[in-house]
Amino acid sequence: MSQEPMTPDLVELVRKAFEAANRRDVDAVVSYYAQDAVWDMSTMGLGTFNGRAAIRDHFEDWFAPYEAWHSKVEEVRDLGNDIVFTVAYERARMTGGSGVIPRHVAFVLEFMDGLIVRAAPYSDIDQARTAAERLAEERG
């Protein structure tokens, strides 16, 4: 009997990465990224982070000011051709603060060999959806 390589379930990988983020397990989060991955926050005016080490540093800096931070995946779709579109609802509270910062954020995730090679968060969900669908189509 021949052994066919298993295609990773990208939706499940994304859910597990978000679970790791909710635990603030930065090492687990970055394990879902390729060594040369790009975390591209240019749509939010926050630049890009190149490579797993830079992405790790970014996540540590991102979580640092929050006493509480949680992200709930509301939608995650494998669009084919190694492209995943995700919408999450985030709630955060700054250390020593009493107010909660809520926001929706969408992600366009590009995979290769079961690892994220490029992640782009968007504050505009429709813009992200359009970008993800276009990218999946271009790769097809």
Side-chain angles (χ1 to χ4, degrees), residues 2-10 13 82 112-115:
S2 70
Q3 291 277 341
E4 298 265 335
M6 290 183 43
T7 303
D9 181 346
L10 301 183
L13 291 177
D82 288 329
M112 181 181 293
D113 299 325
L115 293 172

Side-chain angles (χ1 to χ4, degrees), residues 18 33 39 59 71 84-88 90 103 105-109 119-122 128-129 132:
F18 273 87
Y33 289 79
W39 179 263
F59 278 118
S71 184
V84 175
F85 170 75
T86 304
V87 177
E90 296 180 350
R103 77 176 186 148
V105 62
F107 298 86
V108 177
L109 304 170
Y122 289 75
R129 187 183 324 273

Side-chain angles (χ1 to χ4, degrees), residues 4 10 12 19 32 35 39 43 47 54-55 57 68 72-73 101 103-104 120 129 136:
E4 298 265 335
L10 301 183
E12 184 62 23
E19 289 169 9
Y32 292 95
Q35 286 295 333
W39 179 263
T43 63
I55 293 168
D57 290 346
K72 179 183 177 192
V73 174
I101 303 166
R103 77 176 186 148
H104 276 94
R129 187 183 324 273

